[in-house]
Amino acid sequence: MLKRIVIYGLGTFFSKILVFFMIPVYTRVFPAADYGYYDVAIQNTQMVISISFMEIWSGILRYIFQEKDKASPVNTFLRLLPMFFCFYLVAFFVLGKIMDIKYPVLTLIYGLTYLFYSISNSICRGYEKNWSYVVAGTASTVVSCGLSILFAVFLKKGIAYLILSQCIGYAVAVLYVEWKTKCYYAAIFKTRCHVAVKEMVTYCMPLMLNAFSFLFFDIYNKNVLIRTCGETVSGYYAYVSKYAAVLSVLISIYSLAWQEQAFLVAGNKNKNEVYSYYLNSFFQLVGLGIPIFIFVLYWLSPVIGGNQYKDAAKYIPFIVYVAFFSGISGILGTMNAVYKKTDQILISTIAGAAVNVCIASIFIRRFGIYALSIALCAGYVIMSLLRYWFAASEVKLDINKKVVGCIVIEMFVVLIAVRFLGKAEMVAISVVVFLLWAIFNKSKIAEAACYLKNIIGKVG
């Protein structure tokens, strides 16, 4: 699994760091109101795709690992595509009644390119072409960011061209994956095998409902915020959410490797030890480093966002906690998916979404962005606890309580530091946290360094 983490880490670093450094461009070129609209429109479209196509890419990944003919799940998707597309048109029409879609044709196309990009990611991972996955993602990011700079900075175009740039980037990735895997070609011309439609739909339906509930967490909050507090405040929320997205990217590196490993060891006799080890590794690698991550972003925020977003930095800690708790729920949800308990994933997500909606609805007018962040944290915590409880029926997990205790203490210390302490005190806390992180992860650091050295040696 460490090999996968290093490979995904290298690719993700180069692609996502570019996205992160696009934030100063967007915040200086586009008004906060336009940027807020763009963020909400993109998220809403992704939710519509997840619902209309039943999160089919998750089913494709699961059955690629299970089936002898790896193209057979894609064959099933192609059989379902006409029906799914009709669902998409209806759902998109409904979305247009809920919110003002300023660029309907372009947004419709964005949804389709996002769909095939997501499926291409699953194909790469199912075929165990980790480097192809990385190259495709990097190429997509480079193309979309390059075009965004061209359109926004040099040609002075509006938000519509950001959507267009993303569409082109996704299309490049899809074409590259097909070139490397020939999966669609095999599914159409070479194989008659397919996963039973009923079986695929039965597996994906709870995941679709789960994806809807999961996206509903953030999307409901953003729509409530934009209606209650206006597009400018929504722009602030979209801005700080990009910081949470950076952590989500780091978590995704671990989650991608973990998901594949979980499927591979599902039938092993020592699965209890394996799953416990990787769950505790997540807490050690990611959880213990949260304070450093928050402090660095807090200091960089005025430089990245400029004067227009200088008041948004105070929201960073809670929004980062949201990403962390979301990551925990995803890690635990993978164990439910391994044993095809997708209904349990759905139940936990609905419970978390209900908690989120209640807290956000009650406190949004009084506390604004703080209310949304706390609501999301509470929702993800409930979701994680339920998924842990459900997983316990299949796997006996041994959680390192010392590490979890350290993470909780660090979170409280960060909130106090950001509110009451100066930069010098934050630096001191960061040093202590880094030493603690290094002590807990010294064996993993040495192993990763050794593997990275071997990669560099081969390249050289």
Side-chain angles (χ1 to χ4, degrees):
M1 178 167 164
L2 181 63
K3 177 181 177 181
R4 293 189 181 95
I5 292 176
V6 172
I7 292 173
Y8 289 145
L10 288 172
T12 302
F13 173 80
F14 288 115
S15 61
K16 299 306 181 183
I17 199 68
L18 181 58
V19 173
F20 180 73
F21 283 110
M22 288 296 293
I23 296 175
V25 176
Y26 297 151
T27 56
R28 286 163 173 80
V29 172
F30 302 111
D34 285 351
Y35 194 49
Y37 168 80
Y38 167 77
D39 188 63
V40 171
I42 289 297
Q43 293 252 347
N44 284 346
T45 305
Q46 291 179 2
M47 181 183 69
V48 167
I49 285 292
S50 293
I51 296 170
S52 306
F53 291 87
M54 293 187 183
E55 196 79 6
I56 191 71
W57 49 87
S58 298
I60 289 172
L61 176 62
R62 180 66 182 90
Y63 284 101
I64 283 178
F65 277 106
Q66 178 177 304
E67 300 292 315
K68 291 183 180 179
D69 187 340
K70 291 181 178 294
S72 60
V74 178
N75 191 321
T76 304
F77 160 69
L78 294 175
R79 291 168 183 245
L80 291 167
L81 183 58
M83 179 184 69
F84 283 156
F85 183 70
C86 292
F87 289 162
Y88 178 46
L89 292 178
V90 173
F92 192 81
F93 176 79
V94 173
L95 177 63
K97 297 296 183 180
I98 297 172
M99 70 170 291
D100 177 27
I101 301 178
K102 298 179 180 179
Y103 319 104
V105 175
L106 189 57
T107 306
L108 187 76
I109 294 172
Y110 168 82
L112 293 174
T113 56
Y114 170 76
L115 164 70
F116 282 96
Y117 177 73
S118 300
I119 292 174
S120 295
N121 285 343
S122 292
I123 290 171
C124 267
R125 295 170 61 199
Y127 277 58
E128 298 188 66
K129 291 185 175 293
N130 304 116
W131 281 113
S132 295
Y133 173 90
V134 168
V135 172
T138 303
S140 174
T141 303
V142 170
V143 170
S144 61
C145 289
L147 289 175
S148 295
I149 292 174
L150 173 65
F151 291 140
V153 178
F154 295 101
L155 300 181
K156 307 298 182 183
K157 300 293 184 179
I159 288 296
Y161 284 81
L162 288 188
I163 302 175
L164 176 61
S165 300
Q166 193 69 67
C167 291
I168 296 173
Y170 284 155
V172 168
V174 171
L175 292 173
Y176 175 80
V177 171
E178 177 60 14
W179 175 55
K180 298 299 291 186
T181 65
K182 305 293 191 296
C183 184
Y184 286 106
Y185 177 81
I188 295 171
F189 298 109
K190 287 191 173 183
T191 183
R192 294 183 179 179
C193 298
H194 66 279
V195 179
V197 169
K198 182 179 179 181
E199 185 178 354
M200 178 71 84
V201 170
T202 301
Y203 180 84
C204 291
M205 179 66 77
L207 291 178
M208 178 270 286
L209 296 172
N210 172 73
F212 168 74
S213 301
F214 201 89
L215 289 169
F216 186 75
F217 266 63
D218 198 29
I219 292 172
Y220 171 82
N221 288 0
K222 288 180 177 179
N223 281 279
V224 168
L225 185 66
I226 201 171
R227 289 198 304 268
T228 306
C229 303
E231 290 187 343
T232 299
V233 174
S234 177
Y236 291 157
Y237 187 69
Y239 167 71
V240 296
S241 293
K242 298 306 177 186
Y243 291 114
V246 176
L247 179 60
S248 296
V249 166
L250 298 177
I251 291 174
S252 73
I253 296 169
Y254 193 92
S255 297
L256 290 170
W258 156 245
Q259 190 177 38
E260 294 168 19
Q261 189 71 21
F263 287 145
L264 291 171
V265 304
N268 289 6
K269 293 181 179 180
N270 63 336
K271 63 183 180 181
N272 293 339
E273 292 78 10
V274 172
Y275 288 162
S276 297
Y277 171 79
Y278 287 121
L279 184 59
N280 286 320
S281 294
F282 175 77
F283 287 127
Q284 291 172 206
L285 286 167
V286 179
L288 290 175
I290 290 291
I292 301 173
F293 184 79
I294 290 175
F295 289 149
V296 170
L297 293 181
Y298 184 79
W299 297 328
L300 288 177
S301 180
V303 178
I304 295 172
N307 292 331
Q308 188 177 191
Y309 293 89
K310 64 181 180 180
D311 294 330
K314 59 188 177 184
Y315 303 120
I316 290 175
F318 272 117
I319 211 73
V320 170
Y321 294 159
V322 168
F324 176 64
F325 288 125
S326 172
I328 295 173
S329 70
I331 296 290
L332 291 169
T334 295
M335 284 186 278
N336 303 126
V338 164
Y339 298 100
K340 299 183 180 179
K341 304 288 187 178
T342 50
D343 56 330
Q344 296 177 349
I345 298 175
L346 174 60
I347 291 169
S348 64
T349 305
I350 291 175
V355 170
N356 168 74
V357 169
C358 290
I359 295 176
S361 300
I362 293 171
F363 297 106
I364 180 66
R365 292 187 182 278
R366 184 172 182 182
F367 297 108
I369 293 176
Y370 284 121
L372 299 189
S373 301
I374 293 172
L376 282 168
C377 285
Y380 284 127
V381 168
I382 294 298
M383 187 191 302
S384 299
L385 290 174
L386 285 173
R387 290 182 178 182
Y388 177 84
W389 183 58
F390 288 140
S393 64
E394 298 285 349
V395 182
K396 185 178 180 181
L397 297 172
D398 183 18
I399 305 298
N400 189 327
K401 296 180 179 61
K402 291 182 179 178
V403 173
V404 173
C406 288
I407 292 171
V408 173
I409 292 171
E410 286 181 355
M411 286 183 171
F412 281 110
V413 169
V414 167
L415 291 177
I416 294 171
V418 170
R419 180 67 179 84
F420 298 106
L421 302 182
K423 184 179 291 187
E425 291 85 352
M426 291 184 189
V427 171
I429 294 172
S430 298
V431 172
V432 173
V433 170
F434 176 78
L435 292 175
L436 185 66
W437 180 87
I439 291 170
F440 273 101
N441 293 288
K442 59 182 179 180
S443 62
K444 297 180 182 64
I445 294 171
E447 188 178 353
C450 182
Y451 180 71
L452 188 58
K453 183 179 178 181
N454 290 337
I455 292 178
I456 296 173
K458 290 178 182 179
V459 173

